[in-house]
Amino acid sequence: MEENKQPTQAIVIGAGPAGLTAAYELLEKTDIHPVVVEATAEIGGISRTISYHGNRMDIGGHRFFSKNEQVMQWWNKFMPLQGAPACDDILLDRKKDFESGGPDPEKTDRVMLIRQRVSRIFFLKKFFDYPVSVKWQTFKNLGFWNTLRAGLGYFKSVCFKRNEDSLEAFYINRFGKPLYQMFFEGYTEKVWGVHPSRLGADWGAQRVKGLSLTKVVSDMFRKVFRSQKNIEQKNVETSLIEQFIYPKLGPGQLWETVASDIQRSGGELLLNSPVKVVNITGKRITSVVTGEGENEKTIPCDSVFSSMAIKDLIMSLRGMDIPDEIVNISQNLPYRDFITVGLLVDKLLIANKTNIKTINNIVPDTWIYIQERDVKIGRLQIFNNWSPYMVSDYRNKVWIGLEYFCTEGDELWNMSDDDFIRFAIDEVDKIQIIRKEDVQDSTRVKVKRAYPSYFGSYYQLDKVITFLNQIENLYCIGRNGQHRYNNMDHSMLTAMIAVDSIRTGDVSAKEAIWNVNTETDYHEKK
């Protein structure tokens, strides 16, 4: 009698968007049993949602929008689009294109909200559209001389193109030097900790390629002249997205839901299980060791989907020779770390001068890019505008997140929570966004390796990729798994392609996995 064949087993390293997508796709499309091992006690990676005293905080801010229809459908499978107005829609009498038969957010939590995209730049204590728009208010805010400089600088950039050997050159070619200095130079240095002249143009190619002053102007004219009928036609290309979808209780809610469905379908999820050793025989991984001491566990596997940082992955490999060059490159890959301070305040000082209605007339932005050079804060989120359900008293309070980019071990990172919170409050008081006496509650969250950086040994990463691709049953997915500044949908796509590779037996698919997020269109166009 033939023995029953046991299902093969895959280890998925990391319970962020890439890892959880891989595990779910394995359950849906194959007979492979996924075991997700997560180093922390948290679900969702950088896409998790923090709950503090009844208020929920989105780490980094996550618009649910993708140019990939498969990803959009995947999200909506877990959390359908709202079919009735949310609490703020009701109070403000907002009219939206609700999904027929969709869930009512006032009656259920498992629902995606339709939200309006508003992101602006705060510079010279005034608001500018992001991306910078060509309209009277922009010129008024800049003033005559700055506007003249910007115009002359742009025309010079049109006539005299720079060699794009840096992010600085990339921006100047598209916006001119004066606009680059006003709106890109200081903020980019805040984010990455190095001057844009030292950063490669790769980051610009991934985040803003296809976006330029010329595109901004053409987009403005398209909006003026296209008819409502054309807007509604799905085959007409829309420009910069004007709305997005968002889980009622933040992005972490979606990934917690996915994790529960994975376990319900037979997948395993092991939290507090950092990977220590990846055992290799020949050119294949045979097992992974997680935990330490009494909690150490060896898990056999037939394949591995890794979203752990490349530098940690390299150091965990056993059973194969790793050239010193590969070790040195991987260990010196740069990252940028992240700190968010959540503040519950009575009100904001910045006035809503838009025609967008909001509760208590707060500004309608989901996040604001802080370009003021005399403070270190890089961005400010207003969680009321992401979803009112994330704020316990959304009618009377404003719940905001102050975002700082730093490097583990630096001055900001090493400050105590109390000292850092006082420092952050002083900064937003200084630039007249809030008054410090209006702060009612506060918390601080630190995130390691939030942003893979594009300088230093990054420019030798192709050697590490070639080395890792030798391991036949290893698939590197996600932001840290590829050391690439992926959006959430890109991280998910790497996982989907990797699972399809196993399902179809397409051994050449590894190149396709690494090619995700190398398209040349601006990320927020569709």
Side-chain angles (χ1 to χ4, degrees), residues 64 71-86 97-115 244-249 253-254 257-258 261 389:
F64 283 68
V71 171
M72 294 293 288
Q73 291 175 1
W74 203 94
W75 285 330
N76 285 136
K77 177 169 60 176
F78 286 97
M79 302 189 70
L81 201 62
Q82 70 182 102
D97 188 15
F98 298 120
E99 184 75 9
S100 177
D104 183 346
E106 286 290 272
K107 298 178 179 178
T108 184
D109 287 340
R110 196 158 172 170
V111 55
M112 284 282 192
L113 305 181
I114 303 169
R115 309 305 291 176
F244 58 94
I245 58 176
Y246 193 76
K248 176 181 174 178
L249 299 176
Q253 180 196 9
L254 173 90
T257 300
V258 174
D261 283 7
Y389 300 102

Side-chain angles (χ1 to χ4, degrees), residues 165-167 196 198-203 329 333-334 453-463 483:
D165 55 359
S166 69
L167 186 57
R198 291 181 53 203
L199 286 166
D202 307 49
W203 187 82
I329 294 170
L333 286 172
S453 297
Y454 286 44
F455 61 93
S457 69
Y458 163 78
Y459 288 104
Q460 296 175 287
L461 182 60
D462 59 326
K463 296 180 180 179
H483 198 87

